[in-house]
Amino acid sequence: MEKTILKKAAQVALAGIVTLGCAGATATVALSLDPAQVAYATPAGKWKKSSGKWWYSYNSGGYAKGWQKIGGVWYRFDGSGWMKTGWVKDGPWYYLDSSGAMKTGWNKVGGTWYYHDASGAMKTGWQKIGGKWYYFNDSGAMAANRWVGDYYLESSGAMAANKWIGSYYVGSDGKWIKGYAVSTGNKALDCARSYLNSSAFSRQGLIDQLKYEGFSTSTAAAAVDATKTNWNQQAVKKAKQYLDTSAFSYQGLVDQLKFEKFTGSQAKHGASNCGANWNQQAVKKAQSYLKYDGGFTYEEMVSQLEYEGFSTAQAEYGAKQVGLVKAPAQTGQTALQAAQSYYNKEAGSGVSRLDITQYLTESGYSEAEATTAISQLKNADWDEQARLRARSYLDLDHMSYKGLVDQLEYEEFTNGEAVAAVNSLNVDWNDAAARSAVGWYNYGITGYNELYSYLQFDGFTSEQTVYGVSYVKTLVDEGIL
């Protein structure tokens, strides 16, 4: 089967993560009865497939017709005995999945949600499910983001209560209270808090949502700032929400958070503190690709995962864990050849000796072979690689001079290479300490003595630490933090 590897854009708005409106819902209650499912005592038999279609053959002769419960699952067969799938109208509407099994409960078909009772019958009108009211139109499709009479259905489909919907307020029973009003500013603040209680937002994303609700830009911005929200924490919360529904690389998650209008530093904070195991994320992403197309080779999967932002090591781990096998190396390929190829590929973004060692050992070479190969690399500019790696760390976080040198040495750069790289960046370390202090404060380290200890632990000098803590004090005194 011919296959083309999918190259999907990194910035996507995932359908699995929705934001609930700051408002309520409408309801004129119309209850529908649950039709009883006709029961049959299905004789013993076995499944058979003919001409691409399934049927159930009885051991005693003949075949199943109509509704039959087989192995605890309901199936529907036509008059000729062929198993049916998809929508079936048998009085009420029923839905049979691709295996023929009758669906009950929540069921998503073609991007639309439906609900089937215990008998499998599709429900319409107002229905109370799990303690919440939902409305299903005559086709059975769940209503969302719309008014039905004096009630509002949120993006989850649930009827809203005790909320503002734009300039309308719905009470505890979900019904619009005519004439209810508060000042525009307080209403915007209530709306912002309602959104934050139900999902995670960036500052700009929440402002945009309030503007969509009809508030002016200035009113929306004032309301959002009045919530005194920690946007770093919101980035972490949003990152976790994304990881609950899909797999991401670190860079892919940063890009997604930036798409949600978090700042670059907030996006990196969210991805760095969401608790993700990036190797396991690579495995999950590989599994999702194989579910779509089982024809990937090891090399194609590694390439696809690298495109998604995973490192080479993470991509190879993901491909191996889903059972793909690397093609045998070319006869006679040495550790030096493999190391040279890896260095040439990664040098543009910064590669360390530790990276190459890990790559070679994962490829089956010994550590001794890796060490020898690295020492024999041609045209390896480790000063430049250290500088690129140092720059990438500073783009990720506000590190101290000592912390950055220590990190580079951990990556197996020499002390001379590490020191030269950090000195070449021309960093204002007082400013770095101040930004790091703000980050810790926003993370919850609000005691000044504790904040001082954190900065010193990060490797900032006493002078830089005092500067950073003083900077935070000033922002707190001015009401900015």
Side-chain angles (χ1 to χ4, degrees), residues 116-405:
H116 303 263
D117 64 17
S119 74
M122 182 193 78
K123 307 303 291 183
T124 60
W126 284 100
Q127 303 291 331
K128 193 172 186 180
I129 305 168
K132 297 181 179 180
W133 283 100
Y134 298 83
Y135 183 81
F136 302 87
N137 63 28
D138 291 343
S139 70
M142 183 193 76
N145 296 315
R146 54 167 286 202
W147 289 93
V148 176
D150 290 338
Y151 301 82
Y152 188 80
L153 288 311
E154 299 185 287
S155 56
S156 68
M159 182 184 74
N162 293 321
K163 289 182 177 182
W164 284 99
I165 307 295
S167 57
Y168 303 97
Y169 191 80
V170 293
S172 59
D173 62 353
K175 189 173 183 179
W176 167 43
I177 302 176
K178 297 179 176 64
Y180 187 93
V182 295
S183 71
T184 300
N186 287 340
K187 185 166 34 173
L189 178 57
D190 287 345
C191 194
R193 286 171 173 165
S194 175
Y195 274 115
L196 289 171
N197 285 336
S198 56
S199 189
F201 283 85
S202 65
R203 178 181 181 274
Q204 188 58 51
L206 187 52
I207 289 173
D208 291 345
Q209 187 63 41
L210 294 183
K211 289 170 64 179
Y212 176 79
E213 295 286 349
F215 297 103
S216 68
T217 300
S218 59
T219 298
V224 170
D225 291 339
T227 65
K228 297 186 180 298
T229 299
N230 184 319
W231 302 113
N232 275 343
Q233 292 179 357
Q234 287 292 301
V236 173
K237 183 178 178 181
K238 179 62 78 174
K240 291 180 178 178
Q241 289 176 347
Y242 275 121
L243 292 175
D244 284 341
T245 60
S246 187
F248 284 85
S249 65
Y250 173 85
Q251 189 57 53
L253 190 53
V254 168
D255 291 341
Q256 185 63 40
L257 292 173
K258 290 168 70 175
F259 178 76
E260 293 285 351
K261 299 185 179 179
F262 287 97
T263 65
S265 62
Q266 290 164 0
K268 291 172 182 176
H269 180 87
S272 299
N273 293 277
C274 64
N277 180 315
W278 302 115
N279 276 341
Q280 291 304 316
Q281 289 296 306
V283 174
K284 290 181 180 180
K285 180 62 76 173
Q287 289 171 337
S288 70
Y289 277 120
L290 289 180
K291 184 177 180 180
Y292 175 82
D293 182 354
F296 276 89
T297 65
Y298 174 92
E299 288 73 18
E300 289 171 339
M301 182 62 77
V302 169
S303 176
Q304 183 65 27
L305 292 176
E306 287 180 331
Y307 177 82
E308 293 285 351
F310 291 99
S311 69
T312 299
Q314 292 162 357
E316 291 180 340
Y317 181 87
K320 290 176 183 177
Q321 292 302 308
V322 297
L324 298 178
V325 179
K326 184 177 182 181
Q330 294 182 359
T331 303
Q333 185 180 38
T334 65
L336 176 57
Q337 290 171 327
Q340 190 71 60
S341 176
Y342 186 82
Y343 176 88
N344 293 342
K345 178 181 178 183
E346 301 292 335
S349 57
V351 63
S352 70
R353 293 178 179 88
L354 180 62
D355 293 334
I356 300 176
T357 297
Q358 291 175 337
Y359 172 76
L360 291 177
T361 54
E362 289 175 0
S363 299
Y365 298 99
S366 68
E367 289 192 11
E369 289 173 322
T371 300
T372 300
I374 292 170
S375 68
Q376 295 175 351
L377 287 174
K378 295 180 179 179
N379 302 317
D381 186 345
W382 295 113
D383 288 332
E384 175 64 10
Q385 296 308 306
R387 188 191 67 79
L388 290 172
R389 184 56 64 90
R391 181 76 272 168
S392 70
Y393 277 119
L394 285 182
D395 288 341
L396 175 65
D397 200 1
H398 304 296
M399 301 179 72
S400 67
Y401 180 97
K402 181 179 183 302
L404 190 51
V405 169

Side-chain angles (χ1 to χ4, degrees), residues 401-415:
Y401 180 97
K402 181 179 183 302
L404 190 51
V405 169
D406 288 347
Q407 181 62 37
L408 292 176
E409 289 182 342
Y410 172 79
E411 297 277 347
E412 298 184 4
F413 291 102
T414 67
N415 177 262

Side-chain angles (χ1 to χ4, degrees), residues 418-463:
V419 169
V422 176
N423 287 340
S424 72
L425 299 179
N426 193 27
V427 177
D428 183 338
W429 299 109
N430 278 341
D431 180 68
R435 293 178 182 274
S436 182
V438 171
W440 282 119
Y441 187 91
N442 286 333
Y443 194 70
I445 310 303
T446 56
Y448 295 134
N449 288 336
E450 187 179 16
L451 189 58
Y452 186 96
S453 297
Y454 270 73
L455 292 179
Q456 288 223 307
F457 181 79
D458 284 343
F460 289 102
T461 66
S462 296
E463 179 184 349

